[in-house]
Amino acid sequence: MAHQRHNTASPFQVPRPTTSTTMDENDTNSTQVDPSTKIHQVRWNDDMDGFMIIALVNQVLVGHKRSDNGFTSFQISKAIESVKQGCGMVVTEKNVRSRLKTLKREYAEVSQLLSISSFG
């Protein structure tokens, strides 16, 4: 079931499906704990994505080289700091790396669709 987001000032508007069917309208906390595993699950929003992406782009632009398998821990820590300062949310390195993986997968799907000559 797709969930349409409210328009915000963020230039990063990506509607995403949600897995929660019983979400309280007043619940603004983006971190959930699965009681069976005690793992913190972060529900990313457009603002969090924006702060993370801008921080990582800035790291690349200032000349910090990426490692062979993606961003270094230092660069990820800058993204964590940016999300915390911009949104007030505490995320971990694992959360950021997982979100990057999701964004890469979404980008690949959209890129593939756009490459089809009859699509567009």
Side-chain angles (χ1 to χ4, degrees), residues 10-82:
S10 173
F12 306 100
Q13 299 296 318
V14 181
R16 293 185 191 86
T18 61
T19 56
S20 175
T21 57
T22 59
M23 185 172 165
D24 183 11
E25 290 180 21
N26 297 326
D27 184 18
T28 58
N29 187 0
S30 293
T31 304
Q32 297 178 344
V33 178
D34 182 358
S36 63
T37 61
K38 301 289 184 189
I39 296 175
H40 290 276
Q41 296 178 346
V42 175
R43 181 171 292 139
W44 288 81
N45 61 39
D46 295 333
D47 291 334
M48 292 169 70
D49 282 346
F51 283 108
M52 178 189 71
I53 291 167
I54 289 170
L56 293 173
V57 168
N58 285 337
Q59 287 299 304
V60 172
L61 292 177
V62 297
H64 292 131
K65 294 187 178 186
R66 293 177 55 199
S67 65
D68 291 339
N69 60 352
F71 291 99
T72 64
S73 291
F74 174 78
Q75 293 165 325
I76 297 291
S77 71
K78 292 296 183 182
I80 292 169
E81 183 179 308
S82 179

Side-chain angles (χ1 to χ4, degrees), residues 94-112:
K94 186 175 181 179
N95 296 140
V96 172
R97 290 195 186 277
S98 175
R99 185 64 185 156
L100 284 171
K101 184 177 177 181
T102 300
L103 291 174
K104 286 178 187 178
R105 186 174 53 247
E106 289 176 358
Y107 173 81
E109 290 172 0
V110 170
S111 180
Q112 183 181 13

